[in-house]
Amino acid sequence: MKIVVCVKQVPSTNEVRLDPETNTIIRDGKQSVINPFDTYALEEAIRIKEKIQGEVIALSMGIPAAEKILRDAVSVGADSGMLLSDRSFAGADTLATAYTLSLGVKKISEVDLILCGKMAVDGDTAQIGPELAENLKIPHITNVSEIIEINDSEIICRTITETGKRLVKTKTPVLLTVLKDINMPRLPSIDGVINSLDAPVAVENAESLGANKSYIGLSGSPTQVVKTYIPERKNESIEIKGDSETKSEKINSVIKEVI
Ligand SMILES: Cc1cc2nc3c(=O)[nH]c(=O)nc-3n(C[C@H](O)[C@H](O)[C@H](O)COP(=O)(O)OP(=O)(O)OC[C@H]3O[C@@H](n4cnc5c(N)ncnc54)[C@H](O)[C@@H]3O)c2cc1C
């Protein structure tokens, strides 16, 4: 089974910096890690490989420094990585990102299973998985908490919905977005880290992917970010004195003032 795991490089810090001119996140590769949700997708792929055999390819669209997270993926058990990196991909919204990732999956070819995290902790939209599946014209299952059965042609999963749990059966190829409940990601072994240094990581650009220029990067992104800002934090405290009735009246009026 050929499994692609989509891994995104995200800042390892809460101090996300924004470019005041383009309103996009400044990604300089410093202090970057694999999006935490993607480590569960990666672990699940490795477990499937160990159970029914196969190949795991970690795929990322990002700046050249994102090669590091692909090597990190190899250090825990992925076989190889593919980085989609080109200046013309910059400024991509989710639609353009999903299109670009779909070209990567097509380049890898004959993929049976694509695993994504539930969402990225910086972008937070949870749109890429379903959009990528649509681009590839394959089914997708979101919020997967358990893979119950899997073989080369079929998969049965448990998913969590707003109202409960659901069992879903579908044919491969299929894309899943996975929840944290699915497993406990392993740590890299020393051998894994050594292997990752020489592991094959293919780097593809817009030309090698045959990308349609009108679907990539900022110009291919229908979303326009008008303004981004960090909300001002106010740490004010007031002491309310008096009997219970007076206190509750005062608390009420303070709350009304705030909302
Ligand atoms: C107008 C606009 C401009 C933007 N400009 C930039 C920019 O210049 N640079 C920039 O980096 N971001 C930019 N972004 C943000 C970028 O569009 C999103 O980060 C990206 O589309 C992924 O969306 P998300 O973070 O919400 O991921 P989600 O949809 O929440 O992610 C779900 C899952 O999809 C997979 N995934 C998501 N992104 C990637 C990826 N890149 N590679 C591999 N797998 C992935 C992971 O498995 C992840 O767990 C911009 C967004 C907008 C709206």
Side-chain angles (χ1 to χ4, degrees):
M1 171 167 272
K2 209 185 232 187
I3 309 169
V4 166
V5 186
C6 293
V7 291
K8 183 181 182 191
Q9 187 190 41
V10 296
S12 63
T13 160
N14 285 335
E15 288 168 24
V16 175
R17 290 181 302 131
L18 298 166
D19 183 323
E21 279 183 14
T22 60
N23 284 320
T24 55
I25 297 173
I26 297 172
R27 292 174 200 267
D28 51 14
K30 285 182 196 151
Q31 295 180 296
S32 288
V33 292
I34 294 185
N35 173 45
F37 284 107
D38 303 348
T39 60
Y40 298 88
L42 188 57
E43 174 65 30
E44 203 56 27
I46 298 160
R47 288 186 188 196
I48 295 167
K49 180 175 94 165
E50 288 168 348
K51 204 168 152 194
I52 62 168
Q53 295 191 331
E55 183 186 355
V56 176
I57 302 121
L59 173 68
S60 192
M61 182 192 101
I63 57 174
E67 186 184 326
K68 180 189 173 295
I69 61 157
L70 295 172
R71 297 207 179 273
D72 291 346
V74 173
S75 74
V76 289
D79 297 286
S80 61
M82 179 184 276
L83 175 64
L84 314 181
S85 194
D86 193 309
R87 282 188 179 277
S88 63
F89 297 154
D93 67 3
T94 61
L95 204 65
T97 303
Y99 167 72
T100 310
L101 288 173
S102 75
L103 298 179
V105 174
K106 284 177 188 164
K107 185 104 193 177
I108 292 165
S109 83
E110 294 176 0
V111 173
D112 303 294
L113 178 65
I114 302 170
L115 293 173
C116 291
K118 176 193 158 195
M119 63 178 197
V121 293
D122 56 353
D124 247 19
T125 67
Q127 290 175 5
I128 293 294
E131 286 178 1
L132 174 55
E134 283 301 308
N135 270 288
L136 295 165
K137 298 189 172 43
I138 60 169
H140 69 269
I141 308 170
T142 55
N143 296 328
V144 172
S145 62
E146 188 183 353
I147 294 178
I148 294 164
E149 255 181 69
I150 183 159
N151 58 47
D152 283 332
S153 57
E154 208 168 70
I155 185 164
I156 303 174
C157 301
R158 193 186 308 283
T159 75
I160 309 272
T161 69
E162 289 83 3
T163 49
K165 292 179 178 175
R166 208 166 48 152
L167 278 187
V168 186
K169 180 176 168 179
T170 186
K171 292 197 181 316
T172 59
V174 61
L175 181 146
L176 313 182
T177 73
V178 306
L179 298 174
K180 276 180 165 182
D181 315 29
I182 199 162
N183 58 46
M184 177 63 81
R186 71 193 69 187
L187 292 170
S189 62
I190 292 174
D191 281 350
V193 174
I194 294 168
N195 283 342
S196 72
L197 301 175
D198 297 325
V201 174
V203 182
E204 304 288 344
N205 57 31
E207 198 186 340
S208 67
L209 291 171
N212 180 333
K213 293 262 159 70
S214 51
Y215 294 149
I216 58 171
L218 195 58
S219 58
S221 298
T223 321
Q224 299 295 319
V225 180
V226 179
K227 186 181 174 190
T228 48
Y229 62 93
I230 295 165
E232 196 188 331
R233 269 197 200 164
K234 285 188 187 160
N235 287 322
E236 285 172 19
S237 62
I238 49 170
E239 193 180 357
I240 296 170
K241 288 184 178 162
D243 57 25
S244 315
E245 205 174 325
T246 326
K247 278 187 196 164
S248 69
E249 272 171 22
K250 282 187 183 166
I251 289 172
N252 236 325
S253 65
V254 169
I255 292 173
K256 276 185 188 154
E257 253 176 60
V258 176
I259 57 172

